[in-house]
């Protein structure tokens, strides 16, 4: 069937008992893409992932994979791969046996299995560890085994639950590069779940930002980072100064102030990153409440009729003292236009 | 994956049905027999039962011995448990092993030894007569004392183990803190150790008390028909007099005692967990 | 300092009290004399040998072994699914089922034996052997469930999910993944059940008769007839058997973790 809607979720509703975790979710995933489900805990991303794998039975809606309706298909027949957050390696089997587990179930010949397991372990860089048991491996090594175990099955879609969260900073970078390489070389469609925007931005072709069981925004990393569509997404990707618009104007203690420039009247709000605020001159006035040196930059907290403003200047720029009056501007061309608040 | 509750029920049902039909139903019927006389539901059989002096004696004796064994095992238990807990780890493990060991041996074997020790030509009497302390062998067997000793030996390990567990869970600094504040050992025990190890005492006490009430071999061998307890009385009524009514009544009394003790235990255990 | 003395004194007395009788039985069993006495008059293995020659001991030993092994197996076959259902699912009527399955521990054994005699053996003409088997299975069931539950609770369920996603069916997953990882727990349950069944007296009291006696009952019966040390020898042998089994279990399984 079509590569454009390789994995499709239609009006998918998921619930735990009476609590609805995901409400009529619609999502189409292309074959071969690397897509991230991003959101805080409780947003429904893990629940959605479990429904795709068949570990959770949907309360409503449909899941289609490669043209086939798999909504109620048993989990062991879906040909999907899942790398668990805890890796879930079989403690009583060694590395080789873990990776070969699924292949043995397919009743392949032992020479076939040997070939595939060798290739799988080689792909994740673990050629030497055949006979070790999971308990004898480091966290990073265990994850590679879990990855190999799923990859040798040549799954239609590979899902990963928080693949980088348990790793320290150095390993995280290594693993990230590893995942990208594996995806490039094997071409497998990858869906991963994370609460970390840096991971999502770095790895994904597209990002699905979720909150309370619905999709807040769906787009490329650049789109999500530069043009968030809602307050939640803006906040999530690091915009600090987020303001609602009333009749196309910003609300301040002294009444509504219009902004020069091209703010569209349908916009619900505007957002600026701290480094987009220009300090020193401008149409707004405020008082510097706090100054903090942050290595390469200096962070300012300013109290103004608009509300609290967080600004960031290069460390070499002149310092504005705490307690002093300051004028600042919010350039409309550097604002992100929010469709929803 | 574990959402299918029907699956769960199917897995659990065979065991539950087995236990219910093979076990609960016959027992229930047996117990209900005690409430019937001449085809009607009545408490008359119970009244008649307690009319008999023998029955009353046996009832009180069983309760009394149960209580005494529990009390004595608590005192000895605390002393022993404390001694074990203050040992270094390897010695402690070995001691616990030695305390547990008797539990794995058949009650028949454990009780039997007392015959050898307490009999007319037994070890104790031989020593006493040999040393001239007694003129003729003293009768130890078939007395309440013998049953008491037998029961104590049988259940003391349970109390010791419960108390060891409780003492190990006690904050390590509590006793030194009290000592520094000037408490003597008696005060330390009643004001610090006892309150903090209450639950262990209750668990151990329930196990010992229930065990003593429902023991058969020990009262049978060491008490015989001279010192009847509820269980040996039950056996006698059935095998000698075919008196199933009494059997049912005694069974009910034992059940109520055992059940209440267990309920108490559960209540206190869950109260502990809530903390 | 004085507390050290107190500790050692207490421990010595208590251990003497608890283990002394065992030592005495062994000594009495090795007696060369004709009657039960301690200290023994001379040492000899003749009573130990006699144990193996007494016909009824051999028969009752076989029966007790049979009940212990197969009763425990039956209890595990019934109990493992219950433990699994209670551990992995939200079992409907969970509390009730748990109570029913644990009930045999609470009800005094003698009542069970009597009830089964009256309402199963006599009216339904069930053989005494079968009734004993049923009674022992019911008796061990709570222990089996408790120990296996402890093992299951310690095993993560995500490895079962992983196996399913790799293509394994639920049943195959249980045998390939769950069982191998709880086998120590099952073994511990088996040992506990075996020892409990073997030493069990009250339940078997009413369900015994000539030719159908468990070993402990047979020992009591024999004791009422003769007063020779062969019972002591048997008791000593059994004690050694029980202790060795548990000792080995602790050594190789860390038995105490499960109980």
């Amino acid at each position: 069937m079509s590569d454009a809607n390789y994995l499709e979720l239609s009006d998918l509703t998921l619930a735990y008992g009476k609590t609805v975790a995901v409400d009529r979710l619609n999502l189409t995933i292309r074959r071969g893409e690397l897509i991230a489900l991003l959101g805080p805990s409780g947003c429904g991303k893990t629940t959605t992932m479990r429904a795709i794998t068949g570990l959770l039975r949907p309360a409503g809606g449909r899941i289609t994979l490669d043209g086939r309706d798999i909504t109620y298909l048993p989990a062991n027949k879906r040909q999907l791969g899942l790398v668990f957050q805890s890796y879930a390696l079989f403690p009583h089997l060694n590395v080789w046996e873990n990776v070969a587990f699924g292949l043995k179930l397919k009743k392949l010949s032992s020479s076939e299995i040997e070939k595939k397991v060798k290739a799988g372990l080689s792909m994740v860089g673990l050629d030497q560890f055949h006979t070790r048991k999971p308990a004898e491996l480091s966290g990073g090594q265990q994850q590679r085994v879990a990855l190999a175990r799923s990859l040798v099955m040549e799954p239609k879609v590979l899902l990963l639950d928080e693949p980088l969260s348990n790793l320290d900073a150095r390993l995280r970078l290594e693993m990230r590069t590893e995942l990208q390489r594996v995806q490039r070389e094997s071409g497998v469609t990858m869906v991963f779940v994370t609460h970390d925007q840096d991971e999502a931005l770095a790895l994904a072709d597209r990002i699905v930002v979720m909150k309370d069981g619905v999709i807040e925004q769906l787009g490329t990393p650049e789109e999500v980072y530069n043009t968030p569509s809602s307050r939640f997404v803006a906040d999530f990707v690091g915009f600090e100064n987020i303001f609602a618009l009333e009749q196309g104007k910003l609300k301040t203690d002294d009444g509504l102030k219009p902004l020069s420039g091209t703010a569209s009247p349908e916009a619900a709000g505007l957002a600026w990153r701290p480094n987009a605020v220009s300090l020193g001159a401008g149409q707004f006035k405020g008082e510097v409440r706090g100054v903090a040196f942050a290595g390469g930059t200096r962070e300012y907290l300013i109290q103004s009729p608009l509300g609290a403003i967080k600004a960031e200047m290069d460390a070499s720029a002149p310092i504005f003292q705490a307690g002093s009056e300051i004028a600042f501007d919010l350039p409309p061309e550097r604002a992100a236009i929010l469709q929803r608040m | 994956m574990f959402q299918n509750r029907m699956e769960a029920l199917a897995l659990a049902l065979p065991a539950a049905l087995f236990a219910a039909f093979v076990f609960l139903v016959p027992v229930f019927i047996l117990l209900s027999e005690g409430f019937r006389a001449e085809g009607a539901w009545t408490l008359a059989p119970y009244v008649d039962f307690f009319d008999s002096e023998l029955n009353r004696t046996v009832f009180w004796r069983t309760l009394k011995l149960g209580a005494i064994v529990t009390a004595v095992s608590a005192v000895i238990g605390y002393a022993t448990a404390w001694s074990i807990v203050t040992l270094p780890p390897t010695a402690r493990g070995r001691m616990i092993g030695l305390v547990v060991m008797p539990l794995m041996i058949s009650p028949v074997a454990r009780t039997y030894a007392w015959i050898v020790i307490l009999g007319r030509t037994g070890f104790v009497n031989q020593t006493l007569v040999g040393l001239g302390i007694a003129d003729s062998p003293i009768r130890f067997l078939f007395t309440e004392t013998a049953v008491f000793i037998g029961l104590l030996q049988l259940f003391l390990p349970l109390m010791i183990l419960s108390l060891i567990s409780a003492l190990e869970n006690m904050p390590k600094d509590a006793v030194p803190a009290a000592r520094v504040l000037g408490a003597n050992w008696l005060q330390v025990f009643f004001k610090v150790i006892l309150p903090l190890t209450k639950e262990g005492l209750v668990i151990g006490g329930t196990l010992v008390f229930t065990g003593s009430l429902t023991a058969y071999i020990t009262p049978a061998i060491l008490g015989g028909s001279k010192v009847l307890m509820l269980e040996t009385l039950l056996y006698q009524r059935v095998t000698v007099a075919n008196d199933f009514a009494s059997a049912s009544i005694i069974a009910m009394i034992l059940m109520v005692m055992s059940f209440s003790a267990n309920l108490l235990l559960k209540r206190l255990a869950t109260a502990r967990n809530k903390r | 300092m004085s507390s050290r003395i107190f500790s050692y004194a207490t421990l010595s007395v208590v251990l003497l009290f608890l283990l002394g009788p065992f030592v005495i039985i062994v000594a009495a069993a090795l007696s060369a004399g004709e009657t039960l006495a301690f200290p023994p008059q001379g040492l000899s293995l003749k009573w130990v040998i006699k144990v193996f020659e007494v016909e009824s001991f051999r028969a009752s030993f076989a029966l007790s072994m049979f009940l212990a092994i197969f009763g425990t197996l039956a209890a595990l076959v019934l109990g493992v699914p219950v433990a699994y259902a209670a551990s992995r699912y939200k079992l409907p009527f969970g509390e009730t089922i748990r109570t029913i399955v644990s009930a045999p521990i609470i009800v005094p054994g003698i009542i069970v034996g009597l009830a089964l005699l009256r309402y199963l053996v006599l009216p339904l003409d069930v053989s005494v052997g079968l009734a004993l088997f049923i009674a022992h299975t019911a008796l061990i069931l709570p222990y089996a469930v408790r120990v296996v539950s402890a093992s299951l609770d310690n095993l993560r369920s995500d490895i079962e999910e992983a196996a399913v996603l790799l293509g394994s069916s639920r049943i195959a997953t249980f045998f390939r993944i769950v069982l191998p990882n709880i086998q120590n727990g099952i073994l511990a349950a088996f040992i506990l059940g075996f020892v409990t069944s073997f030493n069990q007296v009250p339940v078997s009291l009413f369900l015994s008769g000539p030719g159908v006696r468990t070993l402990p009952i047979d020992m009591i019966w024999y004791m009422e007839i003769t007063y020779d040390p062969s019972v002591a020898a048997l008791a000593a042998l059994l004690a050694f058997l029980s202790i060795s089994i548990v000792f080995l279990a602790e050594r190789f399984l860390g038995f105490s973790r499960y109980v």
Side-chain angles (χ1 to χ4, degrees), chain B residues 108-207:
Chain B
V108 178
R110 291 161 82 185
T111 310
Y112 190 65
W114 292 110
I115 297 181
V116 177
I117 302 174
L118 298 174
R120 295 192 101 239
T121 51
F123 181 57
V124 173
N125 271 321
Q126 275 183 30
T127 325
L128 289 178
V129 171
L131 291 177
I133 302 177
D135 296 322
S136 63
I138 306 178
R139 194 179 68 109
F140 286 110
L141 282 182
F142 307 116
T143 62
E144 285 190 6
T145 315
V147 176
F148 163 75
I149 294 177
L151 287 176
L152 183 65
Q153 196 238 19
L154 211 57
F155 295 112
L156 185 58
L158 291 177
M159 176 64 86
I160 295 177
L161 287 176
S162 298
L163 289 177
I164 289 180
S165 172
L167 282 171
E168 282 180 345
N169 283 331
M170 196 177 72
K172 305 238 177 288
D173 310 324
V175 171
R179 293 281 292 164
V180 163
L181 289 167
N184 64 38
W185 281 110
L186 212 61
Q187 288 168 325
V188 166
F189 179 76
F190 281 104
K191 289 197 191 302
V192 179
I193 298 181
L194 192 56
L196 287 175
T197 54
K198 250 194 342 232
E199 289 103 7
L201 182 60
V202 170
I203 293 177
T206 317
L207 287 173

Side-chain angles (χ1 to χ4, degrees), chain A:
Chain A
M1 282 290 279
S2 166
D3 280 355
N5 51 347
Y6 196 58
L7 174 61
E8 193 167 346
L9 310 176
S10 322
D11 280 340
L12 191 64
T13 306
L14 307 170
Y16 291 111
K18 295 236 164 60
T19 335
V20 176
V22 170
D23 194 13
R24 273 163 300 163
L25 190 88
N26 283 287
L27 181 62
T28 309
I29 298 174
R30 288 191 279 271
R31 185 186 198 144
E33 84 170 317
L34 218 188
I35 196 163
L37 300 181
L38 173 67
S41 61
C43 71
K45 57 193 195 292
T46 309
T47 314
T48 306
M49 192 186 65
R50 288 179 70 85
I52 297 175
T53 56
L55 293 173
L56 178 65
R57 208 177 152 82
R62 238 182 41 223
I63 305 175
T64 322
L65 175 65
D66 202 9
R68 191 175 165 209
D69 185 339
I70 63 166
T71 319
Y72 299 109
L73 191 64
N76 60 340
K77 294 197 163 62
R78 294 195 183 194
Q79 294 176 282
L80 296 171
L82 171 56
V83 178
F84 288 76
Q85 186 174 9
S86 63
Y87 317 138
L89 295 182
F90 305 128
H92 60 297
L93 303 177
N94 65 27
V95 168
W96 180 274
E97 291 161 342
N98 260 280
V99 177
F101 185 83
L103 295 172
K104 285 208 185 113
L105 290 172
K106 272 191 180 169
K107 303 233 167 63
L108 298 175
S109 73
S110 41
S111 56
E112 272 278 337
I113 295 182
E114 185 167 339
K115 213 168 56 180
K116 287 187 194 265
V117 173
K118 274 215 178 94
L121 285 175
S122 174
M123 190 188 254
V124 297
L126 281 180
D127 308 76
Q128 313 303 327
F129 293 87
H130 294 184
T131 52
R132 296 231 194 138
K133 287 256 179 83
E136 300 162 28
L137 300 173
S138 72
Q141 289 165 337
Q142 285 181 29
Q143 189 177 48
R144 286 164 198 255
V145 176
L147 190 57
R149 184 174 68 176
S150 294
L151 282 176
V152 296
M153 301 295 291
E154 288 163 52
K156 294 208 157 126
V157 177
L158 179 63
L159 298 111
L160 302 106
D161 189 0
E162 306 269 4
L164 306 177
S165 311
N166 293 350
L167 308 174
D168 63 54
R170 186 180 51 86
L171 264 178
R172 206 174 288 181
L173 192 53
E174 257 177 55
M175 201 58 198
R176 195 196 287 176
T177 324
E178 194 75 3
L179 282 175
Q180 280 174 318
R181 181 181 62 80
V182 163
Q183 206 258 340
R184 241 183 5 248
E185 286 179 14
S186 62
V188 70
T189 313
M190 260 195 211
V191 178
F192 74 97
V193 155
T194 179
H195 63 272
D196 186 327
Q197 54 141 338
D198 292 330
E199 272 172 41
L201 292 174
L203 272 176
D205 296 326
R206 280 197 300 160
I207 301 181
V208 182
V209 183
M210 290 180 71
K211 174 179 178 243
D212 294 335
V214 292
I215 297 181
E216 283 278 324
Q217 184 170 0
L218 168 60
T220 65
E222 286 83 359
E223 283 167 9
V224 171
Y225 188 77
N226 293 322
T227 49
S229 56
S230 74
R231 148 175 279 225
F232 174 78
V233 180
D235 186 47
F236 208 77
V237 293
F239 284 79
E240 291 282 4
N241 307 297
I242 307 172
F243 303 108
L245 284 179
E246 234 173 273
Q247 301 156 29
K249 304 198 181 87
L250 287 173
K251 226 166 72 126
T252 75
D253 290 343
D254 321 313
L256 295 177
K257 287 247 175 95
L259 264 188
S260 54
T262 49
S264 75
E266 299 101 47
L270 295 171
W272 285 266
R273 293 193 179 276
N275 58 16
V277 179
S278 66
L279 294 178
Q283 65 173 127
F284 300 103
K285 293 231 178 346
E287 185 191 323
V288 178
R289 278 291 166 81
V291 187
F293 176 63
T297 60
R298 202 162 320 237
E299 294 168 359
Y300 290 94
L301 184 62
I302 297 167
Q303 194 55 41
S304 80
L306 264 179
I309 303 280
K310 286 216 183 97
E312 197 181 270
M313 297 284 279
D314 195 68
S316 54
I319 307 174
F320 298 98
Q321 296 297 345
S324 60
E325 277 244 334
I326 189 168
F328 64 91
D329 209 7
L330 298 170
E333 65 275 9
R334 300 200 61 188
I337 302 167
L338 308 177
Q339 309 301 328
R340 298 185 309 279
M341 280 305 281

Side-chain angles (χ1 to χ4, degrees), chain C residues 118-149:
Chain C
R118 283 269 280 172
Y119 304 107
L120 214 65
V121 174
L122 294 178
L124 298 181
D125 203 22
V126 169
S127 80
V128 171
L130 182 59
L132 267 176
F133 176 72
I134 291 176
H136 276 240
T137 303
L139 202 70
I140 301 169
L141 183 62
Y143 295 103
V145 173
R146 193 178 292 184
V147 175
V148 173
S149 286

